[in-house]
Amino acid sequence: MAHRTERQARATIHVGGEWLEAVSGATREILDPADARPFAVVAEGDEKDAERAVAAARQAFDHGPWPGTPVAERAALLRRVAGLLVRDRERLGLLESRDAGKTVEEGRVDIDCVADAFRYFADLVAAEAPGRVVDAGTPDVHSVVVHEPVGVCALITPWNYPLLQASWKIAPALAAGNTFVIKPSEITPMTTIALIELLAEAGLPAGVAGLVTGPGHTVGATLAEHPDVDLVSFTGGLASGTKVAQAAAPTVKKVALELGGKNPNVVFADACATEEGFDTAVDQALNAAFIHSGQVCSAGSRLIVEEPLRERFVTELARRAEKIRLGRGTGEGVECGPLVSEQQRAKVEAYVASALAEGAVLRCGGKRPSPAENRPESGYFYEPTVLDACHREMRVVREEVFGPVLTVETFRTEEEAVALANDTEYGLAGAVWTTDAGRARRVAGRLRHGTVWINDFHPYLPQAEWGGFGRSGTGRELGPAGLAEYRETKHVYQNLAPKPVRWFAG
Ligand code: NAD
């Protein structure tokens, strides 16, 4: 089967079932973050390409077969896509690793999770009742509530989990019977392009799936404001998410926003009373903060540790963080890849500099790896960094760094721990570590975050909703609510014995 490498490389815009170059003819080089060298060229779409893609998706929704395709057939297609993802796991895992800089094992796990999302939404729609009959209080009325697709969906995704974030939108959008146009991050479009090819291979009718590669301020903005788009689902940063919401407002389209996080990892001393407990909590704090070099919306970037435990915990954490093996994602034994771009690394460096200026104490990292340590130097690498003695007024504690930077704050009471953990404008995720079951439930109940882990960090389930409180967003992905985003609800009231009302006498 033909894959993108065999195609005309620049034709990465998918409209009405055709692969096209940008209307302007512009292209963009896609860089490998491990060596800063280009490894692919894609079309650089703009407003015109977005317009063209929306028109095709509108046509496919208004006149094509997909919205009326029986649910069982839609579910079967989603399952075929999952099968193709399993078949192509190695190829796609490698591509994700190269594009986003993650280790190839992380890339493979991402592909497994993408397949899980397709399977989950297939099972969810297949098991549903076709409508909810409502008791109207009289046998003369048949009243039913049904769900219908929203229409044309604009899906805008970030660079850190390019295909996973795409799948959390594409799978429910298709399951519900919508057509869509996706705009992946301009710096990591490769696996989204590959997925659109797989959708066609699985038998999705032409025009249902649209793709425009290109920048946010042109392609993304056009999709968000377009009157023929019925829903925009956006995953990305707070600043861009705010613009998307503003652009969508005049046409009152449905908006779902999955934005950033500043996620607390609260460790009570009792969790570390045994050596095993200590080892587990440190190990998971390391994972929480540094997996994918911290470029994770739910990264546990704020360690909030009970004061008597702090020195021992942070010393061990820094010792282990220093040993994390950086390198190209495909390298043998590599545990962490580079940051995604020079711009991202510069942002991280600026945060670390500001933290040190504000009084943070550097416990490890805080720099690019030096060549003398036989670590890579041409890619966008940055050492895992632990900043001790942080406090809530520091920018590095308040704002999303999105890099391998962990800040350390301390508390003395449960009340203080909760107050610190909730002291953020975000509210995506957080964790509490304790062996006291009552405390675990109390703290979990009080945390104002969309996901709360007790004695764990990072796992999610496709059947459980994912999303944020506060400025981490609106709406939910995954779970039944993640499907509901892509639907309109309609009440059909049928009078079985119509008679005149005689409200008006004349
Ligand atoms: P970003 O906001 O810079 O870009 C995200 C996407 O939006 C890209 O495709 C970009 O081109 C597009 N975009 C940018 N400006 C736009 C505009 N004005 N209109 C329409 N689209 C526009 O984010 P990023 O740097 O790619 O990703 C990192 C961010 O994503 C972090 O803040 C992270 O927390 C967040 N994120 C959140 C979740 C979640 O589930 N809540 C998951 C992954 C990433």
Side-chain angles (χ1 to χ4, degrees), residues 156-161 165 168 183-187 214-222 224 234-241 243-244 247 257-261 296-298 344 347 400 402 426 428 466-468 472 477:
I156 302 174
T157 50
W159 48 256
N160 60 336
Y161 287 89
Q165 299 305 327
W168 292 9
K183 193 211 86 65
S185 168
E186 54 273 40
I187 58 174
H217 68 275
T218 55
V219 178
T222 301
F234 171 90
T235 301
L238 177 56
S240 324
K243 286 186 190 154
V244 165
L257 301 173
E258 299 292 333
L259 308 178
V296 183
C297 53
S298 54
Q344 193 60 23
K347 185 178 154 200
E400 187 184 43
F402 226 57
Y426 292 108
L428 189 59
W466 176 266
S472 286
E477 296 199 300

